[in-house]
Amino acid sequence: MSASAMNLTKRLLSGAAIATVALVLAACSDEKKETASTTAPTETAAKPATDATTTGSTTATPASSEAKPAAGTEVAQSTTAPAKVELPSSEGSVDQAKLLEPGALPEMALGEANAPVTIVEYMSMTCPHCAAFHNETFEAIKTKYIDSGKVRFIVREFPFDPRAAAAFMLARCAPEGQYFPMISMLFKQQQQWAAAQNGRDALLQMSKLAGFTQESFEACLTNQKLLDDVNSVMQRGAKDFGVKATPTFFVNGEHYSGDMSVDVMSALIDSKL
């Protein structure tokens, strides 16, 4: 590899390669501290369902053996209604047709093209809330809605830092059909590479698990056009659709920010069907 290519890789993983990321670092700093206002309502909304379910099961338990009925006496069963899931608040809407127009990179999507609900997620690979969604919620949503033809799910890159950009580039360089498995692996192992002292070496080890060699790893991360295209997807999301934090979801054009539990996203999808 040439000296210029080595310098490009070093800049990419050390923080100097993506000048355009500086435009959205304010939002990133909020996310890193886990105090972003966009995520708080979502996390709060998910709690009442859990608490209500726990409370319901507790109140249905008899207080003592003295409450047992006489033999042959029928007792009405407790019928505590399931807690209603509170839907997240929409932050507005965008033109769905414009949202779905092709961008700088081929669309990474799962599900039927004519599904009644289309979800577009803007995410960053170093975002802990994005990792939580994909590690804890996404697979259940995929099974229930995507695989059944009810939802088309599109992922778009919104890297807040050079390591996130590098991770996206590697996912794009993975063999055909391996983008989503690569994303899933990197989210599951996020702490091992995103917080590592040597991000380059950590990403190299993760990439080798996905079949990369030293040469293909270097070739991917020195691909300036790919880096520019990843940045273009991010810039379009910010400029045209008002994306400021990750994860950001557009559900049939409606704008929602923050991680969602399975129950919350299921209720949101059901409301659109």
Side-chain angles (χ1 to χ4, degrees):
M1 183 174 63
S2 67
S4 61
M6 293 180 64
N7 288 334
L8 177 57
T9 303
K10 183 176 181 181
R11 291 199 304 274
L12 175 65
L13 296 175
S14 66
I18 308 178
T20 55
V21 175
L23 297 176
V24 290
L25 282 181
C28 178
S29 64
D30 287 341
E31 175 188 88
K32 291 295 183 181
K33 297 175 183 176
E34 297 191 34
T35 58
S37 60
T38 54
T39 59
T42 305
E43 293 174 357
T44 302
K47 291 180 180 178
T50 303
D51 296 342
T53 303
T54 303
T55 302
S57 63
T58 300
T59 56
T61 304
S64 68
S65 60
E66 294 177 0
K68 292 181 180 178
T73 302
E74 293 184 0
V75 180
Q77 297 296 316
S78 174
T79 55
T80 303
K84 184 179 180 180
V85 177
E86 183 179 349
L87 295 179
S89 298
S90 170
E91 298 179 26
S93 62
V94 299
D95 184 331
Q96 176 83 335
K98 183 177 180 180
L99 178 67
L100 298 182
E101 288 176 357
L105 288 169
E107 207 80 283
M108 289 300 174
L110 295 173
E112 299 292 338
N114 61 348
V117 176
T118 298
I119 299 175
V120 177
E121 179 193 5
Y122 282 90
M123 67 184 190
S124 177
M125 290 306 302
T126 52
C127 161
H129 302 296
C130 301
F133 174 78
H134 280 270
N135 292 339
E136 301 169 14
T137 298
F138 182 74
E139 284 304 317
I141 296 301
K142 180 178 182 297
T143 300
K144 186 176 181 180
Y145 295 102
I146 300 174
D147 294 344
S148 65
K150 296 178 180 178
V151 167
R152 179 170 176 80
F153 199 100
I154 300 169
V155 164
R156 289 182 182 168
E157 294 89 345
F158 202 87
F160 274 126
D161 53 70
R163 289 192 190 187
F168 278 130
M169 291 172 71
L170 291 166
R172 287 282 181 175
C173 290
E176 184 176 356
Q178 294 302 303
Y179 180 89
F180 281 95
M182 183 77 173
I183 289 294
S184 178
M185 180 191 72
L186 289 171
F187 272 139
K188 285 181 172 60
Q189 304 296 327
Q190 188 186 71
Q191 287 300 311
Q192 295 189 25
W193 61 271
Q197 183 174 0
N198 190 322
R200 178 186 179 283
D201 287 350
L203 273 175
L204 175 59
Q205 295 307 312
M206 293 291 102
S207 299
K208 285 182 176 180
L209 295 176
F212 281 79
T213 64
Q214 177 84 34
E215 291 74 18
S216 61
F217 175 83
E218 299 288 354
C220 181
L221 294 187
T222 55
N223 185 335
Q224 185 62 48
K225 184 180 185 306
L226 177 57
L227 175 59
D228 292 342
D229 288 344
V230 167
N231 282 328
S232 178
V233 172
M234 177 189 68
Q235 291 161 5
R236 180 175 177 237
K239 179 182 178 182
D240 294 350
F241 309 120
V243 179
K244 298 178 181 178
T246 57
T248 286
F249 301 95
F250 292 94
V251 183
N252 281 0
E254 290 288 327
H255 183 168
Y256 302 90
S257 293
D259 183 16
M260 296 189 198
S261 68
V262 174
D263 288 343
V264 171
M265 177 152 276
S266 295
L268 180 56
I269 293 171
D270 289 341
S271 73
K272 308 291 184 181
L273 290 173

